[in-house]
């Protein structure tokens, strides 16, 4: 497994992402970066005792939105790792916007289920496009509620029917309607700490609760190609539905290239940073 500073996905890895909607590359974070991320998570949890560890939205922003999470600059640095951006570039092209991050902390013993969903249902991005990089901060497997996905479910490039749910014990509040897809083909994403997976915005995924004695934390980076528009008007509607994010004041960072859409606003939300 490679931990080099620069990284490239092999042709086979790119093909897997295109075919299945998710790939786990050979690349793994250097031990030292992983240790810094884990220490940062300890600090974040200590500084935000009232925010659920199951999902902490936007730790890379000082003031993360309606959750009241107090974030820190170090999470923004982790979202700028050149090796990760090099691989993202292979998947979505050279113009890259960081528009979100989430820490799915899934504590040992009581970490919640993430219901089956497609990310695109939640997000105000048009044309809909995002590559999510899910970085394992702990070893993740079936026992502690690793990410699960339905290979190939992104291929039609279509959002299936979701419903809003207030079910107890889940993290997000929109889930795919039963009958919209076949869970039978789902696969576990088993990762060692420091490994990561990349997934497409249309890919069906979720995860089971954590009943084990081991935490299952992942830091997820959301990158869209700058050919797409982060539409804050639509964001107001979608954020009201989910209740835990602020898409209207969300700062965007153009990390590489130029804003091809010509419509993205990179000043909103930065005053507070
Ligand atoms: O961490 C999980 O279990 C779910 C993650 C997820 O839904 C996502 O990254 O889009």
């Amino acid at each position: 497994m490679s931990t080099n500073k620069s990284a490239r996905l092999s042709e086979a890895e790119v093909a897997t992402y295109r075919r299945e909607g998710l790939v786990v590359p050979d690349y793994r974070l250097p031990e030292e970066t992983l240790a810094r991320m884990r220490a940062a998570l300890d600090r974040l949890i200590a500084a935000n005792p009232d925010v659920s560890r199951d999902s902490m939205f936007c730790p890379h922003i000082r003031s993360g939105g309606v959750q009241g999470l107090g974030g820190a600059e170090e999470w923004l640095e982790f979202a700028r790792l050149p090796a990760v951006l090099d691989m993202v570039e292979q998947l979505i092209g050279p113009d890259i916007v960081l528009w979100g991050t989430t820490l799915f902390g899934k504590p040992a013993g009581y970490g919640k289920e993430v219901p089956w969903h497609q990310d695109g249902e939640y997000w105000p991005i048009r044309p809909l496009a995002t590559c999510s990089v899910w970085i394992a901060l702990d070893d993740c497997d079936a026992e502690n509620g690793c990410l699960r996905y339905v290979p190939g479910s992104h291929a039609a490039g279509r959002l299936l029917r979701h419903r809003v749910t207030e079910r107890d014990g889940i993290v997000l509040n929109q889930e795919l309607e039963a009958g919209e897809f076949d869970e039978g083909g789902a696969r576990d994403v088993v990762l060692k700490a420091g490994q990561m997976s990349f997934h497409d915005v249309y890919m069906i995924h979720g995860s089971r609760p954590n009943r084990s004695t081991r935490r299952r934390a992942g830091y997820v980076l959301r990158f869209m190609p700058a050919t797409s528009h982060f539409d804050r008007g639509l964001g107001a509607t979608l954020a009201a539905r989910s209740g835990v994010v602020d898409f209207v004041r969300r700062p965007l960072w153009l990390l590489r290239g130029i804003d091809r859409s010509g419509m993205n606003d990179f000043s909103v939300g930065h005053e507070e940073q």
Side-chain angles (χ1 to χ4, degrees):
M1 214 171 285
S2 157
T3 56
N4 290 337
K5 283 224 173 62
S6 77
R8 266 196 84 72
L9 298 171
S10 67
E11 270 178 39
E13 287 170 339
V14 173
T16 299
Y17 181 84
R18 305 263 181 254
R19 189 179 62 249
E20 302 201 341
L22 182 145
V23 68
V24 177
D26 181 49
Y27 179 80
R28 188 170 177 174
L29 286 182
E31 281 299 331
E32 171 266 331
T33 309
L34 174 63
R36 283 198 289 124
M37 278 195 195
R38 289 170 58 102
L41 179 55
D42 291 343
R43 281 191 289 278
L44 190 75
I45 291 171
N48 293 277
D50 297 331
V51 177
S52 164
R53 297 172 192 196
D54 270 296
S55 53
M56 305 176 105
F57 289 102
C58 292
H60 70 299
I61 299 172
R62 287 235 176 89
S63 150
V66 293
Q67 252 188 334
L69 183 75
E73 177 85 23
E74 55 193 341
W75 293 102
L76 181 59
E77 284 164 32
F78 298 139
R80 291 178 189 271
L81 296 173
V84 172
L85 291 174
D86 287 346
M87 292 185 282
V88 170
E89 183 165 339
Q90 288 180 272
L91 299 175
I92 66 169
D95 306 298
I96 301 177
V97 177
L98 171 75
W99 66 264
T101 65
T102 308
L103 264 160
F104 288 99
K106 212 176 257 199
Y110 61 93
K112 291 180 179 167
E113 170 191 340
V114 176
W116 290 110
H117 67 282
Q118 292 166 297
D119 291 334
E121 183 70 10
Y122 290 82
W123 298 342
I125 294 165
R126 298 295 180 268
L128 195 48
T130 281
C131 173
S132 293
V133 182
W134 200 105
I135 302 176
L137 304 188
D138 300 313
D139 292 348
C140 304
D141 51 41
E143 203 190 40
N144 64 354
C146 65
L147 192 65
R148 304 181 73 220
Y149 75 111
V150 179
S153 54
H154 69 302
R158 203 161 58 83
L159 292 179
L160 303 175
R161 278 183 307 126
H162 289 68
R163 63 191 176 93
V164 175
T165 171
E166 302 304 331
R167 232 164 22 92
D168 281 344
I170 61 172
V171 168
L172 307 174
N173 72 343
Q174 292 170 71
E175 64 182 334
L176 274 161
E177 292 274 12
E180 281 293 272
F181 71 106
D182 179 11
E183 192 179 329
R187 277 193 215 146
D188 290 336
V189 185
V190 176
L191 300 173
K192 289 287 177 203
Q195 279 191 288
M196 60 197 72
S197 60
F198 294 72
H199 72 254
D200 181 83
V201 69
Y202 286 102
M203 206 263 313
I204 295 175
H205 60 289
S207 62
R208 292 186 168 130
N210 184 2
R211 306 268 186 254
S212 79
T213 53
R214 293 176 295 125
R215 188 185 69 182
R216 191 240 58 178
Y219 181 43
V220 193
L221 317 173
R222 314 289 189 188
F223 298 109
M224 70 177 199
T227 42
S228 286
H229 174 214
F230 190 89
D231 180 342
R232 297 178 190 281
L234 176 58
T237 309
L238 297 185
R241 206 186 288 162
S242 81
V244 287
V245 287
D246 178 358
F247 289 141
V248 177
R249 301 289 311 156
R250 173 73 58 87
L252 308 179
W253 278 268
L254 182 63
L255 295 189
R256 288 193 179 174
I258 58 175
D259 182 28
R260 302 269 166 201
S261 79
M263 292 193 283
N264 287 307
D265 184 326
F266 297 99
S267 56
V268 169
H270 284 269
E271 314 83 321
E272 299 117 53
Q273 297 309 306

